[in-house]
Amino acid sequence: MDNITQIAFNARQAANVLQTVDTAQKSVALKLIKQKLASAKDDILKANKIDKDLALQQVEAGKLSSSLYKRLDLEGPGKFDTMLEGISDIDQLEDPAGKVQAATRLDNGLELYRVSCPVGVLLVIFEARPEVVVNIAALAIKSGNAAILKGGKESFHTCSAISTAIRQALDEAAKSSSENEDEKTIIPADAVQIVESRQDVDGLLKQDKYIDMVIPRGSNSLVKYIQWNTRIPVLGHADGLCSTYVAASAKLELAQKVVVDAKTTYPAACNSTETLLVHDSHLSSGFFATLAKTLIDHGVTLKCDPPSLASLQDNVAKDHTDKVLASTEEDYDTEFLDLILAVKTVPSVEAAMEHINEHGSKHTDAILTESEKEAKQFMAGVDAAGVYWNASTRFADGFRYGFGAEVGVSTNKTHARGPVGLEGLVIYKYQLHGNGHASGDYGSGKRAYLHERIPVQEEESLSDISHKRQRID
């Protein structure tokens, strides 16, 4: 067995064990990982500095984008502590595995349950952002999945240091001879593995026997490459072409606050607004000129269509010729990942929806309006994983949604869409409980199926239902 196949096989073996691990054991593992990462903080930050110094040289040479460079940093104020707190947040979430989603009594003593279960083995490929290793490891363990991780070469040293700490935590836990059962866990160290080279990824993309899902996090080219080079299901998004539509009834103060937040709080994020759609009534009223000035004051360059550009020529553009530019058609299909915003004028909400459905990436889009009817029309008609009313597109995030963290954002139309947290990492299996029942006993002139729905409370486990049945019996 070659090295790549061995990695995938080991992950499958770990996943088989993880399916049987209970919530308490998962919690022990997550606490140990957090402790080990905290104790290894100095080593991890030293590794992070090495990556950043090397990446800065690439930026200066024009070989690496500034947006990717910004995603590398773990030394910023509170970033490392926030990463660790994310583990605790995930630990405190409801275990998504083993929950009964539906139940049917086929006959007396013959009951069918649809029960949530882990996907199995996840291959997660990402660029920069070394904290993804921690997020994915915690989410995978909590949901009962094994994970193989491949970070960008820019974050190699940081990812290696983090991975070493995680494996040490799981190794020590598995080998522990403590008499306190609460300090033990049977989660294998191979539950989280890291691979280093592009060649490793190419090999793993062929391991559909052992790997169940690929989750790419990164550029459009990365996601497209993976989608075209594997038979394994891919969960992810290629672009974050998010739009915000400022409707005729929108309030200026609200629009200033929301649009500035959506564009400037983290321009390199996939949930940053890239296109601003403006109702044409705002061009002559001074509304758009004021909004444009606010954006420019926050460092944003506006690439405007002819009507919006013309409305700024006699005021804002005069003093900011370098910040007000003419747009091209390509701009409305571009994920800038920078303080650049494409602006387009539209006559109606229908036109805004048409533009978004044609040029958007089905990620997240927002409408700013005082009309509930118009907002509902927009949210129903825009084909995206997230549709917002009077709120920034930057809310499209697993942590902000209360998922604890996210494994990625999906624009697929499969079992998971939008920010994918724990619930997106489980599928389901059907469990049939009988007592010597045979299918041949049923049919014309034989026994008839009952097909009675068994009431299931939200988040109820199979053991909960079994206990209730015992009490009833």
Side-chain angles (χ1 to χ4, degrees):
M1 187 179 290
D2 63 80
N3 182 55
I4 294 301
T5 304
Q6 187 69 58
I7 289 171
F9 175 80
N10 291 346
R12 168 56 60 195
Q13 294 295 99
N16 291 341
V17 174
L18 278 163
Q19 291 194 72
T20 67
V21 171
D22 62 29
T23 304
Q25 290 173 319
K26 294 175 183 178
S27 183
V28 169
L30 291 174
K31 287 180 171 64
L32 289 170
I33 288 171
K34 181 180 178 181
Q35 292 170 11
K36 183 62 70 172
L37 288 170
S39 64
K41 179 178 179 178
D42 290 343
D43 291 337
I44 293 170
L45 292 184
K46 285 178 183 177
N48 188 236
K49 188 174 188 310
I50 293 172
D51 285 333
K52 289 196 300 179
D53 289 345
L54 292 172
L56 185 58
Q57 296 174 20
Q58 296 295 305
V59 173
E60 292 171 346
K63 297 179 180 179
L64 183 72
S65 69
S66 58
S67 61
L68 275 179
Y69 174 76
K70 293 173 186 176
R71 295 181 182 185
L72 278 174
D73 182 42
L74 271 185
E75 294 184 290
K79 288 202 74 172
F80 194 90
D81 291 338
T82 299
M83 180 182 73
L84 295 185
E85 281 307 307
I87 301 174
S88 297
D89 292 340
I90 292 169
D91 185 21
Q92 293 168 16
L93 292 174
E94 184 80 20
D95 191 334
K99 302 301 180 186
V100 178
Q101 301 173 341
T104 303
R105 181 174 293 106
L106 306 186
D107 195 0
N108 291 324
L110 185 62
E111 297 179 349
L112 179 67
Y113 299 93
R114 191 175 75 194
V115 184
S116 61
C117 63
V119 171
V121 177
L122 312 174
L123 172 59
V124 186
I125 304 166
F126 56 95
E127 295 174 335
R129 286 194 185 172
E131 69 269 24
V132 169
V133 176
V134 177
N135 292 342
I136 302 301
L139 285 167
I141 289 172
K142 182 71 177 187
S143 57
N145 292 286
I148 303 171
L149 308 176
K150 168 63 174 74
K153 60 184 179 181
E154 305 84 13
S155 58
F156 170 75
H157 297 90
T158 315
C159 289
S160 295
I162 291 173
S163 176
T164 296
I166 292 173
R167 288 187 66 88
Q168 286 176 350
L170 294 178
D171 266 331
E172 291 175 12
K175 295 176 181 177
S176 174
S177 59
S178 170
E179 295 182 359
N180 185 352
E181 291 296 325
D182 291 337
E183 295 180 6
K184 292 184 179 179
T185 180
I186 61 171
I187 296 176
D190 285 333
V192 180
Q193 300 180 79
I194 282 196
V195 295
E196 300 177 359
S197 71
R198 177 69 172 267
Q199 290 71 29
D200 291 341
V201 171
D202 289 339
L204 288 168
L205 291 176
K206 297 179 175 66
Q207 297 293 330
D208 54 301
K209 179 179 179 180
Y210 300 119
I211 297 173
D212 299 295
M213 182 181 293
V214 184
I215 304 175
R217 295 182 54 160
S219 66
N220 177 53
S221 59
L222 169 71
V223 177
K224 290 296 185 186
Y225 176 84
I226 291 167
Q227 291 173 333
W228 294 338
N229 287 278
T230 188
R231 291 181 298 180
I232 304 169
V234 178
L235 185 151
H237 70 285
D239 288 305
L241 283 171
C242 304
S243 298
T244 297
Y245 169 51
V246 183
S249 65
K251 292 183 177 179
L252 176 58
E253 186 176 347
L254 182 148
Q256 288 173 303
K257 180 180 180 181
V258 172
V259 177
V260 166
D261 180 272
K263 180 72 257 185
T264 69
T265 50
Y266 193 176
C270 63
N271 57 13
S272 174
T273 287
E274 302 289 11
T275 298
L276 180 66
L277 301 173
V278 182
H279 191 270
D280 54 19
S281 65
H282 293 312
L283 302 188
S284 58
S285 66
F287 183 113
F288 175 61
T290 303
L291 177 58
K293 178 65 166 57
T294 302
L295 286 163
I296 290 169
D297 288 344
H298 283 81
V300 179
T301 296
L302 303 177
K303 305 191 79 173
C304 303
D305 68 347
S308 59
L309 182 64
S311 74
L312 300 178
Q313 289 299 335
D314 295 332
N315 42 64
V316 178
K318 281 186 176 181
D319 300 322
H320 303 281
T321 55
D322 59 329
K323 292 292 185 181
V324 180
L325 309 173
S327 66
T328 65
E329 282 302 312
E330 184 181 6
D331 290 328
Y332 302 108
D333 297 307
T334 300
E335 185 180 21
F336 298 109
L337 301 174
D338 205 344
L339 289 172
I340 302 172
L341 191 59
V343 181
K344 184 175 181 64
T345 309
V346 292
S348 64
V349 65
E350 290 82 6
M353 291 159 52
E354 181 179 354
H355 176 92
I356 292 171
N357 288 336
E358 175 65 25
H359 297 274
S361 62
K362 306 184 189 304
H363 191 298
T364 305
D365 301 290
I367 181 172
L368 309 184
T369 179
E370 292 302 298
S371 167
E372 181 178 357
K373 179 181 178 182
E374 187 177 40
K376 288 182 175 179
Q377 180 183 0
F378 179 92
M379 291 190 287
V382 168
D383 184 10
V387 283
Y388 298 171
W389 176 17
N390 288 346
S392 168
T393 57
R394 291 278 289 121
F395 280 106
D397 174 82
F399 176 78
R400 294 183 176 118
Y401 277 13
F403 297 167
E406 67 180 33
V407 70
V409 176
S410 171
T411 54
N412 298 352
K413 295 185 178 181
T414 55
H415 79 289
R417 201 175 186 207
V420 179
L422 287 174
E423 291 185 359
L425 297 181
V426 294
I427 46 177
Y428 56 81
K429 62 174 67 174
Y430 285 100
Q431 296 187 11
L432 184 62
H433 297 201
N435 186 24
H437 291 76
S439 63
D441 295 335
Y442 299 84
S444 179
K446 301 179 183 179
R447 294 185 65 86
Y449 289 106
L450 297 178
H451 288 156
E452 296 174 350
R453 178 178 174 273
I454 300 173
V456 176
Q457 294 182 7
E458 186 177 1
E459 301 301 328
E460 194 166 28
S461 69
L462 200 55
S463 61
D464 294 332
I465 292 177
S466 296
H467 289 153
K468 287 199 304 186
R469 286 176 56 203
Q470 289 171 7
R471 290 196 299 271
I472 292 172
D473 294 342

